[in-house]
Amino acid sequence: MRNIQPEELDELVEKGTSYKIIDVREEEEVEHGMIPGAIHIPMQQVPEKLAELPTEDTYVLVCRGGHRSMNTALFMENQGYDVINMDGGMLEWKGELVFK
């Protein structure tokens, strides 16, 4: 599985990345802000939402500290998805935030 640093992802977001960012945190966690352009799919809902996610896209998975997103990335990778885990999670994110 590939990893990306928060700073690298922030640069890509600013430039208009083609990566699809999935925030797997819980509802109360995303209330504190999300990465611009990210979609919110709580970790437990990812298996049932896979059919809605095209396999030809590349996904960057994000959580609070990087562990849930890593587990979700491994799951998605085993299902044939191209995934990248953001190291350190939102605890390390220094970029812009958007609020739901």
Side-chain angles (χ1 to χ4, degrees):
M1 175 187 27
R2 296 180 292 157
N3 292 298
I4 191 168
Q5 297 303 310
E7 305 81 37
E8 293 174 83
L9 183 58
D10 189 24
E11 287 177 27
L12 292 173
V13 167
E14 287 182 17
K15 293 177 184 173
T17 182
S18 62
Y19 292 158
K20 307 294 186 215
I21 303 169
I22 299 176
D23 191 323
V24 299
R25 296 177 296 160
E26 296 300 319
E27 193 68 42
E28 59 275 3
E29 293 175 296
V30 298
E31 290 175 0
H32 299 285
M34 292 175 53
I35 296 172
I39 56 173
H40 179 226
I41 305 174
M43 181 179 167
Q44 282 77 16
Q45 293 179 18
V46 169
E48 65 193 56
K49 299 281 187 179
L50 280 184
E52 300 171 21
L53 303 174
T55 54
E56 58 272 3
D57 289 339
T58 299
Y59 298 93
V60 177
L61 300 180
V62 176
C63 70
R64 182 174 181 269
H67 299 291
R68 284 176 285 175
S69 57
M70 181 181 65
N71 290 333
T72 306
L74 288 170
F75 169 76
M76 287 180 67
E77 193 172 65
N78 286 335
Q79 304 302 310
Y81 287 85
D82 184 21
V83 293
I84 303 169
N85 183 53
M86 187 178 85
D87 285 336
M90 293 302 288
L91 292 174
E92 299 297 323
W93 180 258
K94 306 290 188 249
E96 182 183 347
L97 294 174
V98 294
F99 297 88
K100 285 177 93 175

